[in-house]
Amino acid sequence: GLLQVVKQCVRVPVFVMIRPRGGDFLYSDREVEVMKADIRLAKLHGADGLVFGALTEDGRIDTELCTALLAVCRPLPVTFHRAFDMVHDPLVALETLISLGFERVLTSGCDSSALEGLSLIKRLAEQVMPSALCVTSGFFPPGGGITERNLQRILEGSTASEFHCSARSARDSGMKFRNPNVAMGASFSAPEYSIKVADVAKVRTLNAIAKNIL
């Protein structure tokens, strides 16, 4: 439903995240069935691309599962998401993803944010540039903790031509009656009556910064 409404409202390409649950990226057979079903439905309802990631128990790219999911995704482009930041060896993982045919890798440089992981992002970009498969700096969109305060430094330091961020702000719920004794989320979740929304002002500011650099 979200995908259908978004496609009606925007003109930019929409890539759909395929992730059946939070937590790690080691998936069961049933979860894989869900992922394949989600991919088929996303394609049916107009997704312009897919985003997923899968690892083995020892922190390597799950090549068997990724190959199977990529086959279901065809002919749409696919991005490997920040599961990449949890791999055992990012340089080896990068070569694996290139050979499998992923068109982008979303990463914070295997650190808490893209700013902290900037040196690795740059190193990965330098490694990927000689590849005949990946000749643009758009292969590595940095993501994780990007704000209007650090975007310029991240883009200049990584030579990236794309970036990923939430650009969100909190909006108070319109609910007037509130039951203080019941919480619908986890104990460490956002307040029950606070809603995270895309912040138009932040998006415009970030776009302006990026256009000034790129």
Side-chain angles (χ1 to χ4, degrees):
L2 175 63
L3 175 59
Q4 287 180 298
V5 173
V6 168
K7 288 289 293 183
Q8 292 169 8
C9 297
V10 305
R11 295 292 175 265
V12 296
V14 178
F15 280 47
V16 176
M17 177 82 77
I18 304 299
R19 190 176 179 190
R21 58 164 171 78
D24 62 35
F25 306 100
L26 182 66
Y27 295 113
S28 68
D29 291 342
R30 290 297 188 193
E31 288 169 336
V32 171
E33 290 180 27
V34 172
M35 295 171 81
K36 289 180 178 179
D38 284 343
I39 292 169
R40 295 186 186 103
L41 287 170
K43 291 172 66 177
L44 179 65
H45 293 290
D48 297 291
L50 288 308
V51 184
F52 67 80
L55 305 178
T56 62
E57 62 181 13
D58 57 352
R60 303 178 194 282
I61 304 297
D62 189 333
T63 54
E64 182 178 351
L65 176 52
C66 285
T67 299
L69 294 178
L70 283 165
V72 184
C73 291
R74 290 192 187 100
L76 297 182
V78 183
T79 296
F80 194 91
H81 62 41
R82 286 189 63 200
F84 182 84
D85 292 324
M86 307 301 286
V87 298
H88 175 72
D89 187 329
L91 299 180
V92 172
L94 171 60
E95 294 301 326
T96 301
L97 295 176
I98 292 173
S99 68
L100 288 173
F102 284 91
E103 297 196 7
R104 288 182 181 86
V105 177
L106 179 61
T107 180
S108 64
C110 300
D111 214 319
S112 57
S113 73
L115 189 59
E116 278 73 24
L118 197 53
S119 60
L120 179 59
I121 293 173
K122 186 176 181 180
R123 184 180 177 190
L124 292 167
E126 290 170 348
Q127 178 175 331
V128 82
M129 288 304 285
S131 170
L133 299 176
C134 313
V135 294
T136 72
S137 53
F139 186 79
F140 268 109
I146 291 181
T147 69
E148 55 269 35
R149 293 183 298 277
N150 61 28
L151 177 60
Q152 179 173 345
R153 182 178 171 187
I154 290 170
L155 289 179
E156 291 176 344
S158 65
T159 68
S161 62
E162 300 177 356
F163 64 96
H164 170 81
C165 64
S166 60
R168 294 180 299 179
S169 62
R171 184 182 71 197
D172 192 47
S173 166
M175 285 293 298
K176 296 196 179 340
F177 172 76
R178 303 184 179 190
N179 184 347
N181 301 314
V182 179
M184 294 296 166
S187 57
F188 296 107
S189 65
E192 200 69 38
Y193 296 100
S194 178
I195 304 168
K196 293 289 189 180
V197 296
D199 189 315
V200 174
K202 288 184 179 181
V203 172
R204 285 177 174 160
T205 299
L206 289 160
N207 274 336
I209 294 170
K211 287 178 181 178
N212 188 51
I213 297 170
L214 301 176

